[in-house]
Amino acid sequence: MTDPMNIDAKLAEFPRTRLMSSATPVERLDRLSHRLGIDLWIKRDDLTSLSFGGNKTRQLEFYFGEARQQGADTILITGAVQSNFVRSAAAAAAKLGMQSVLQLEERVPGMGEHYYRSGNVLLAQLLGAEHMSYPVGEDEAGADNALHERADQLRAEGRTPYVIHLGINHPPLGALGYVPGGAELNEQIGDFDAAVVPSGSGSTHGGFLTGLRLSGQTAPVYGICVRRDRDQQHARMQKVLGKLADLMQFDPALVMNGINVWDGALAPGYGQVGSSTREALTLMARTEGIFLDPVYTAKTFAGLLGLLAEGVIHKGQKVVVLHTGGQPALFGYQEELQPN
């Protein structure tokens, strides 16, 4: 089994721009532990150092590393209207003296004015990002092609663009960024019985699982579906992990049997607030004073509650939930989250 020092050596082979100022803390949630009957801990990746924090900071270190190695002066990226990824990319670009082009997809139907003007949208505007729109929410190849068309225009203007792809058929540099996150948690907390993480693009879930396994940690990691159903997400995770194994040159069998996905909190769909999402968000806020976001982390915590109710996670177990940030999106969901 590979140890964390070998992880560091392997990651050193890839260009990287450091955006993390330090390790993020792990905290015990005492009141929720008592209420739920488990030993509950939270990995606070909402406290990464860049622009309101969040998990995307880790992923961007390797994208910007490659971009700067190529001499890029402009970053292009796609995400949902309230995407934390595009906001974080715009912040990293500003920090590094680069420009950013953010393409916003229409993934969430029926949203009100605040969704399009507040939260991450407002922050990206303050960061000076250029905005584009893409009318389809489930067309990764089409969204990537639209970015490449804009990149061609920028080249004609004398700029050097770098595209962060949305589609899965590209090297998983975002997943590579979360491998040290898994190793970091292993060093901080030691043995635990289960981890619960969001599973959307698969980058955070896949990298986190890989970092834990390469560190010798065998506890199950449950990915909570935030965008696709269980079967679709399982297939996506296989692709992500296979590509990550190729990139890092380790045996994919080490991680393939560790794919666990659960979609019981997905309804009514990506970026939409169902009853379990609202209840989880409220419970965390009123019990621990920690805010979750409606797209990823509230569904992740709802997944933990669902796994506990189903007996997949057992009373008395030591459980870690990954907080991936995203709180600025709360302000874009005012209509959905206002108390009745």
Side-chain angles (χ1 to χ4, degrees):
M1 190 71 70
T2 309
D3 61 38
M5 292 303 295
N6 286 336
I7 291 176
D8 290 340
K10 176 56 66 174
L11 294 178
E13 298 175 9
F14 300 92
R16 184 178 187 179
T17 296
R18 296 283 183 171
L19 299 170
M20 296 280 295
S21 59
S22 63
T24 59
V26 179
E27 303 172 1
R28 189 176 191 271
L29 301 179
D30 293 339
R31 296 191 67 221
L32 276 173
S33 292
H34 177 74
R35 179 164 181 161
L36 300 177
I38 58 177
D39 184 13
L40 182 58
W41 296 72
I42 187 167
K43 174 66 168 164
R44 296 294 303 271
D45 270 17
D46 59 316
L47 301 180
T48 57
S49 56
L50 186 69
S51 79
F52 283 90
N55 62 319
K56 303 305 183 183
T57 305
R58 294 187 189 272
Q59 297 184 24
L60 288 168
E61 288 193 336
F62 289 90
Y63 284 119
F64 274 86
E66 184 173 81
R68 296 178 81 194
Q69 184 185 64
Q70 295 177 9
D73 56 26
T74 307
I75 295 291
L76 299 92
I77 187 172
T78 298
V81 172
Q82 281 295 332
S83 167
N84 302 301
F85 204 1
V86 300
R87 177 256 303 164
S88 297
K95 179 179 178 66
L96 298 170
M98 303 168 72
Q99 295 178 303
S100 57
V101 177
L102 314 182
Q103 179 172 248
L104 304 184
E105 294 179 307
E106 290 290 344
R107 290 186 197 171
V108 186
M111 300 302 289
E113 178 183 4
H114 288 105
Y115 182 78
Y116 292 94
R117 298 183 61 182
S118 187
N120 285 312
V121 175
L122 174 61
L123 295 178
Q125 290 170 345
L126 293 174
L127 289 163
E130 174 189 326
H131 281 81
M132 297 170 53
S133 295
Y134 193 74
V136 183
E138 295 296 337
D139 180 13
E140 292 183 341
D144 283 344
N145 288 337
L147 283 187
H148 279 286
E149 290 176 4
R150 179 64 182 128
D152 288 341
Q153 295 170 355
L154 293 171
R155 288 189 190 91
E157 297 169 7
R159 306 254 288 277
T160 306
Y162 177 88
V163 174
I164 298 177
H165 294 99
L166 186 63
I168 200 170
N169 295 319
H170 300 275
L173 297 185
L176 189 69
Y178 244 89
V179 174
E184 179 180 297
L185 174 65
N186 190 63
E187 292 177 357
Q188 289 174 313
I189 199 171
D191 290 336
F192 56 90
D193 297 302
V196 182
V197 305
S199 193
S201 70
S203 293
T204 294
H205 180 185
F208 192 73
L209 172 63
T210 298
L212 288 171
R213 292 295 182 265
L214 292 178
S215 301
Q217 177 59 252
T218 60
V221 176
Y222 297 101
I224 306 304
C225 301
V226 299
R227 187 169 179 186
R228 302 168 187 85
D229 65 29
R230 179 177 178 175
D231 291 341
Q232 290 176 313
Q233 192 63 19
H234 192 279
R236 188 178 185 93
M237 292 307 305
Q238 288 180 314
K239 291 181 180 179
V240 170
L241 289 169
K243 286 183 173 295
L244 185 58
D246 287 343
L247 192 64
M248 293 186 68
Q249 296 182 327
F250 65 84
D251 183 356
L254 182 66
V255 292
M256 286 299 182
N257 291 334
I259 301 174
N260 296 295
V261 290
W262 189 85
D263 62 3
L266 177 60
Y270 174 85
Q272 300 178 64
V273 182
S275 59
S276 64
T277 301
R278 181 190 295 272
E279 290 165 5
L281 191 154
T282 303
L283 177 61
M284 181 67 78
R286 297 181 182 180
T287 308
E288 295 289 349
I290 295 174
F291 292 114
L292 305 175
D293 86 289
V295 183
Y296 292 91
T297 56
K299 289 191 176 183
T300 302
F301 184 43
L304 186 156
L305 298 175
L307 292 168
L308 184 60
E310 291 181 1
V312 177
I313 292 175
H314 304 290
K315 296 287 185 178
Q317 287 191 320
K318 185 176 183 179
V319 182
V320 183
V321 62
L322 178 64
H323 191 331
T324 55
Q327 292 97 325
L330 285 166
F331 300 101
Y333 279 78
Q334 293 181 46
E335 291 91 349
E336 289 73 25
L337 296 175
Q338 289 285 351
N340 295 325

